Amino acid sequence: MPARPIAAILFPLPLPEAFDYEVPEDLDVRPGDHVVAPLGKRSARGVVWSLKPADAARALKPVEAVAGGPPLPEGTRNFVDWLARYLVQPPGIILRAVLRSSEALKPSPTETLYRPGTGEPGRMTEARQRVLDAAAELGEATGADLARQAGVSASVVKGLARAGALEQTIRPVDPPYDAPDPDRDGIELTAMQAEAAGVLRRLVRAGGFQAALLDGVTGSGKTEVYFEAIAEQLRQDQQAQILIMLPEIALTEAVLSRFKVRFGAEPALWHSGAGPKNRRRAWREVAEGRARIVVGARSALFLPFRHLRMIVVDEEHDPTYKQDEGLAYQARDLALVRAKLDGAMAVLASATPSLESLANAQAGRYVHVRLAARPGTAVLPEIGTIDLRETPAESGSWMSPPLVQAVAETCARGEQSLLYLNRRGYAPLVLCRTCGHRMVSPDTQSYLVEHRYTGRLVCHVTGFSMPKPKACPECGAEESLTSVGPGVERVAEEARRRFPEARVDIYSSDSHRGPEIVAAMERGEIDILVGTQIAAKGHNFPNLTLVGVIDADLGLAGGDPRAGERTYQTLVQVAGRAGRADRPGRALLQTHQPEHDAIQALIAGDRDRFLEMEFAAREMLGLPPFGRLAAIGLMSQDPANVEKSAAVWAAAAPVTDGVEIWGPAEPPRAMVRGWHRRRILVRADKSVDISAYLRAWAGRVKTPASVRVSIDVEPYSFI
Ligand code: ADP
């Protein structure tokens, strides 16, 4: 008997590689198919990664069965392999991220619809008559709807269907998405937008992998421009699939409705809040190649596209594209990789592009498309500072007199203000006036943040919370715990006190009413919005004309190499919420150091000057984008174990030119939920393949099971 071919099967498990199995004669499998095969003492579901010629010399276990579900396209499999090497992870862990919507692998559930038929109902009862009347009225309905309308049980409906008096059709519960129409009329583009759109269209027509940085000031109409690129792609290729990535769920609504106006169809949605049914539908339709447009969060990158032609990364500078927990990756960077592997186009859009992307544009790797102005008569906001050394806020308040006056003027004109402070809750610190004790989290030793709305003290690292005690837990003094510093709740309290007539609301990641607040803001139902960075992203509030930054100094200090860049980006973004169309806006930054470079550059609107300084500093230190960083994190519940492992790792580091090792060190959050942490940072020259270096390193070390190791090849968080 000739030997059977071999299938290498990858399981969505932390195993080092795909395992070989024999393909039995009665099974027809292809790469990408979902199969069941024995693994240890049980059977597991995996994906055929490749087929190899028979090898009679090897005794292999057979594949047990072919499982259902749309096969994983080749591009997706290549992406998994590439990612596993790059992120220094077992490939099965990446596959697990791809197969996240496992329900999508089962056949779509179906539902039966009934409509009036031609058959005779036979014996006629009152109940049957009511069902026929209901069917005549509804036209087509599910059995449950018909029965409810008629006030009868489902068996009456079924009886009529058997008799032929009702006709049945069975359809999948997850219907395909409507096809987008690229040729509907869009908004009339300004000359500047039209030129930018023309550049992108030419890139689309050139085909293959292309990367463009759409670099346009806030409110310049970047969305309309990339819509034109999408339209061109849809015209060029009847099968083209396009992914639009957004950093924030609250932003999807706005893009969705604009997309519907432009293309007359709803895209598939993919994010954690989309619900299992939507995700099942989206995953399956994407894998079948029928979902043409997906709007999603960073994890949409792992969807099994069959014919991916374009990825748009909107607000590409946004820090939420970086996932730190679990599988650590930077979705913007991976979008480029995925586009390259699939021969697709990548469009990165932002008003404040990351230094990485700007460096790529300057080096000619990305086509740099700029939009320097807002459409029509809309102008960019004027940015000014309020020097808190000269005009401080009164004790116990956070708004300086000039800011109070500006808000009063804005309210008087019937326009909206945004007070920006990137601190959730009421106060970032609670301490005892009697003994000086500071309330800290038991797990992390970080300060507990007071939330007045819920009356609790909360650890923003672990989520630990406790009611605010009446007495100091240290010295027992009553009524002695005092709130120090402001959070958004406290600023809102002050705004309400100063402007009792105004409608004040808070927008932070604690509010579950995000989309509601955005809509209320758009409708002008809020006068003063107090918000964290979530309020600073991409929204268009036509009547918002004043942005007050409560603490522009926050974030300028600290050991994070991107702190300056991030502060600059955030301040430009938040200021950019002010002023649209015919209403000019202004932004006022409260600061103790108006002479700081980032703030000076901001006021002067001189981005290039800021960039020059940032680039120079990073280049000197060999930091991204001029070098690479990686982090090895070690965690154990036993402090001695983590210490020992960190020493073993450090000793095993391969010595190579162009690589420096920093650490092991205790990160600022040295303990989280009882886990003691150590970190080793790796800095490498750009020419070094840092993933290969880390793989070689990891191969030399044996870490005991009590110590968890995490590798991050592009760390953004240093706490
Ligand atoms: P960006 O993403 O660059 O910040 P958007 O694409 O969100 O900007 O556009 C900002 C605002 O300008 C939106 O309200 C949009 O509808 C409007 N807009 C964009 N292009 C035009 C245009 N050509 N004519 C009129 N309004 C436009």
Side-chain angles (χ1 to χ4, degrees):
M1 197 177 83
R4 299 292 306 154
I6 296 171
I9 296 175
L10 186 64
F11 297 94
L13 297 165
L15 300 167
E17 59 189 352
F19 295 151
D20 288 349
Y21 292 84
E22 182 190 281
V23 181
E25 206 149 347
D26 55 342
L27 284 189
D28 178 23
V29 301
R30 265 162 251 208
D33 282 348
H34 304 272
V35 291
V36 177
L39 187 68
K41 288 195 174 58
R42 58 193 185 99
S43 296
R45 198 175 166 130
V47 174
V48 177
W49 220 242
S50 60
L51 289 176
K52 309 175 192 175
D55 181 352
R58 293 175 70 188
L60 294 169
K61 288 185 181 155
V63 177
E64 283 168 5
V66 176
L72 270 200
E74 189 182 355
T76 306
R77 300 198 307 274
N78 290 340
F79 188 51
V80 170
D81 285 336
W82 192 94
L83 279 183
R85 280 195 302 277
Y86 176 69
L87 298 177
V88 196
Q89 297 290 334
I93 292 289
I94 317 281
L95 180 62
R96 195 156 68 185
V98 169
L99 297 180
R100 265 234 320 235
S101 182
S102 57
E103 276 211 33
L105 299 176
K106 298 181 196 138
S108 172
T110 56
E111 61 186 1
T112 307
L113 296 178
Y114 298 90
R115 61 173 179 278
T118 48
E120 283 299 316
R123 183 177 54 87
M124 201 57 186
T125 61
E126 196 202 333
R128 285 190 156 198
Q129 189 55 52
R130 284 214 301 275
V131 171
L132 290 178
D133 291 348
E137 191 186 323
L138 295 176
E140 195 168 51
T142 63
D145 284 348
L146 258 186
R148 197 175 315 120
Q149 171 99 356
V152 301
S153 75
S155 61
V156 185
V157 175
K158 287 195 183 123
L160 281 169
R162 269 196 303 278
L166 289 176
E167 258 178 45
Q168 313 180 20
T169 39
I170 295 174
R171 67 158 193 202
V173 173
D174 303 328
Y177 296 92
D178 292 336
D181 173 5
D183 294 320
R184 286 163 66 101
D185 282 340
I187 235 172
E188 194 176 330
L189 298 185
T190 63
M192 198 183 280
Q193 284 174 311
E195 196 184 321
V199 175
L200 295 185
R201 269 199 298 265
R202 276 196 294 282
L203 289 176
V204 169
R205 283 198 291 269
F209 170 67
Q210 307 274 355
L213 175 62
L214 180 54
D215 175 3
V217 298
T218 50
S220 57
K222 295 183 285 294
T223 315
E224 305 301 332
V225 172
Y226 72 65
F227 276 3
E228 289 315 303
I230 291 174
E232 186 66 20
Q233 187 65 72
L234 291 171
R235 279 186 216 111
Q236 291 283 315
D237 185 336
Q238 301 296 314
Q239 257 111 46
Q241 290 181 301
I242 292 160
L243 167 62
I244 304 173
M245 297 210 292
L246 296 168
E248 198 63 59
I249 297 174
L251 283 175
T252 46
E253 286 307 316
V255 169
L256 234 56
S257 54
R258 282 166 77 176
F259 189 90
K260 249 172 97 172
V261 171
R262 175 65 182 82
F263 294 96
E266 200 140 318
L269 254 193
W270 182 268
H271 57 69
S272 55
K277 198 173 150 194
N278 278 325
R279 287 161 51 122
R280 178 184 69 201
R281 178 182 176 207
W283 199 97
R284 185 184 297 119
E285 292 297 309
V286 167
E288 301 281 10
R290 285 190 300 251
R292 304 286 305 284
I293 314 275
V294 179
V295 172
R298 60 188 178 207
S299 60
L301 205 58
F302 295 98
L303 283 170
F305 291 98
R306 275 176 88 105
H307 203 68
L308 187 63
R309 281 290 152 269
M310 185 185 293
I311 306 181
V312 176
V313 186
D314 204 350
E315 311 288 353
E316 67 91 30
H317 64 279
D318 198 287
T320 53
Y321 281 123
K322 178 66 194 356
Q323 170 156 302
D324 294 317
E325 303 274 311
L327 187 63
Y329 63 92
Q330 160 54 275
R332 180 226 315 139
D333 296 352
L334 300 192
L336 264 301
V337 172
R338 176 123 218 212
K340 204 169 200 168
L341 288 173
D342 284 21
M345 173 155 168
V347 179
L348 309 182
S350 174
T352 50
S354 59
L355 259 65
E356 282 82 354
S357 297
L358 281 167
N360 280 321
Q362 283 171 10
R365 282 186 290 271
Y366 302 168
V367 176
H368 200 167
V369 187
R370 299 188 83 148
L371 289 170
R374 290 182 171 179
T377 52
V379 287
L380 280 169
E382 201 176 297
I383 302 179
T385 54
I386 296 172
D387 188 340
L388 289 175
R389 296 169 306 193
E390 282 171 16
T391 50
E394 299 150 32
S395 145
S397 80
W398 319 104
M399 297 170 70
S400 63
L403 182 58
V404 173
Q405 195 191 337
V407 174
E409 287 163 8
T410 308
C411 284
R413 281 197 303 271
E415 296 171 353
Q416 296 168 304
S417 306
L418 167 66
L419 297 178
Y420 171 80
L421 176 65
N422 201 19
R423 272 200 190 134
R424 293 152 53 204
Y426 184 82
L429 168 65
V430 173
L431 64 74
C432 173
R433 247 174 301 152
T434 310
C435 72
H437 174 70
R438 293 164 180 228
M439 297 295 293
V440 294
S441 163
D443 286 336
T444 60
Q445 298 299 305
S446 55
Y447 295 150
L448 288 172
V449 177
E450 180 179 4
H451 286 240
R452 280 263 162 110
Y453 192 66
T454 53
R456 299 184 79 83
L457 304 182
V458 182
C459 171
H460 283 183
V461 183
T462 61
F464 164 88
S465 79
M466 60 186 272
K468 186 178 174 187
K470 293 253 177 309
C472 171
E474 191 68 19
C475 71
E478 300 266 343
E479 307 293 332
S480 178
L481 289 178
T482 180
S483 317
V484 181
V488 279
E489 290 179 13
R490 200 169 197 181
V491 173
E493 180 184 86
E494 180 179 347
R496 288 194 183 104
R497 175 168 58 77
R498 290 187 186 274
F499 305 100
E501 308 285 296
R503 294 161 298 177
V504 178
D505 212 332
I506 299 175
Y507 186 19
S508 76
S509 55
D510 292 320
S511 20
H512 304 292
R513 302 177 296 128
E516 236 174 88
I517 295 171
V518 171
M521 215 30 212
E522 282 169 354
R523 286 195 301 265
E525 290 164 9
I526 297 169
D527 300 309
I528 304 172
L529 184 66
V530 185
T532 59
Q533 44 76 30
I534 198 165
K537 295 181 188 187
H539 305 288
N540 281 306
F541 301 132
N543 201 33
L544 173 69
T545 56
L546 174 68
V547 169
V549 176
I550 298 295
D551 186 352
D553 308 335
L554 203 66
L556 283 177
D560 182 343
R562 291 185 181 85
E565 177 189 3
R566 208 167 289 165
T567 303
Y568 182 81
Q569 286 165 341
T570 308
L571 294 179
V572 172
Q573 289 287 342
V574 68
R577 297 312 115 216
R580 283 292 188 274
D582 51 349
R583 289 202 184 85
R586 63 175 163 157
L588 290 172
L589 318 181
Q590 297 195 135
T591 170
H592 286 96
Q593 35 182 336
E595 63 286 345
H596 192 286
D597 292 335
I599 293 191
Q600 281 297 321
L602 205 67
I603 303 172
D606 192 351
R607 185 176 84 178
D608 292 344
R609 189 174 118 201
F610 173 75
L611 291 173
E612 250 169 57
M613 288 180 313
E614 268 301 300
F615 274 132
R618 301 253 192 111
E619 189 160 21
M620 203 171 74
L621 299 170
L623 292 172
F626 301 98
R628 303 267 328 257
L629 278 181
I632 296 172
L634 301 162
M635 274 200 317
S636 174
Q637 284 168 315
D638 179 343
N641 275 357
V642 77
E643 194 67 54
K644 215 162 92 196
S645 283
V648 169
W649 271 85
V655 179
T656 316
D657 277 352
V659 176
E660 291 157 57
I661 309 293
W662 299 332
E666 276 191 18
R669 285 179 190 157
M671 187 176 71
V672 174
R673 291 192 187 93
W675 290 80
H676 301 266
R677 303 167 72 213
R678 291 291 182 279
R679 194 190 54 207
I680 303 175
L681 273 180
V682 185
R683 195 214 64 82
D685 290 348
K686 265 215 114 141
S687 54
V688 175
D689 179 345
I690 206 166
S691 300
Y693 178 84
L694 291 166
R695 274 198 304 276
W697 188 353
R700 296 175 170 197
V701 186
K702 264 206 115 41
T703 314
S706 64
V707 178
R708 284 193 206 163
V709 182
S710 60
I711 294 181
D712 189 343
V713 293
E714 42 215 357
Y716 274 58
S717 170
F718 298 88
I719 45 177

